[in-house]
Amino acid sequence: MAKKSLIQREKKRQKLEQKYHLIRQSLKKKIRSKLSPLSLSEKTKMREKLQSLPRNSAPTRLHRRCFLTGRPRANYRDFGLSGHVLREMVYECLLPGATRSSW
């Protein structure tokens, strides 16, 4: 089980990312657009605005965590579970369509 403080920190990052998503996206579009003739100084101002946003609002700082245990590593996107929890659930036949392998 992950520490509750780390899980809460991750939730806070998710809220910040959702809050600033549209602002961040629009600034990036303006910087990248080739059609609008922005001068170099205007682009640097746009970049400064982008950098002035909170660091934790960047989507690259988010981690996927296990739905049950909160473990940040070895997560399967399809199930939202970490590897060892997924394996235990397959052994107990709690996941439909998943079969355990044996040879």
Side-chain angles (χ1 to χ4, degrees):
M1 192 74 181
K3 290 173 72 173
K4 291 184 180 181
S5 60
L6 296 178
I7 294 172
Q8 293 302 318
R9 187 183 304 163
E10 196 66 36
K11 287 181 182 177
K12 184 179 177 182
R13 283 184 182 145
Q14 288 175 350
K15 287 180 185 176
L16 272 175
E17 197 273 330
Q18 290 174 355
K19 181 179 178 181
Y20 289 101
H21 179 72
L22 293 176
I23 298 170
R24 188 175 288 278
Q25 192 176 18
S26 66
L27 284 172
K28 284 185 176 184
K29 266 188 184 175
K30 289 177 185 176
I31 291 171
R32 290 181 189 154
S33 68
K34 295 179 181 178
L35 300 177
S36 64
L38 291 176
S39 67
L40 188 61
S41 62
E42 290 174 351
K43 283 193 175 186
T44 55
K45 286 180 185 177
M46 296 280 188
R47 287 190 187 112
E48 286 175 0
K49 285 182 184 178
L50 191 63
Q51 288 178 349
S52 68
L53 295 176
R55 182 179 284 180
N56 282 332
S57 69
T60 56
R61 293 179 68 92
L62 293 177
H63 291 274
R64 280 188 309 279
R65 289 190 170 266
C66 177
F67 181 70
L68 293 178
T69 61
R71 180 177 160 85
R73 298 183 180 185
N75 283 316
Y76 287 84
R77 291 182 185 186
D78 296 337
F79 302 103
L81 299 170
S82 62
H84 72 280
V85 173
L86 180 73
R87 185 176 185 204
E88 290 173 2
M89 291 180 79
V90 168
Y91 284 158
E92 295 171 4
C93 299
L94 295 175
L95 292 175
T99 57
R100 65 180 194 184
S101 62
S102 59
W103 56 87

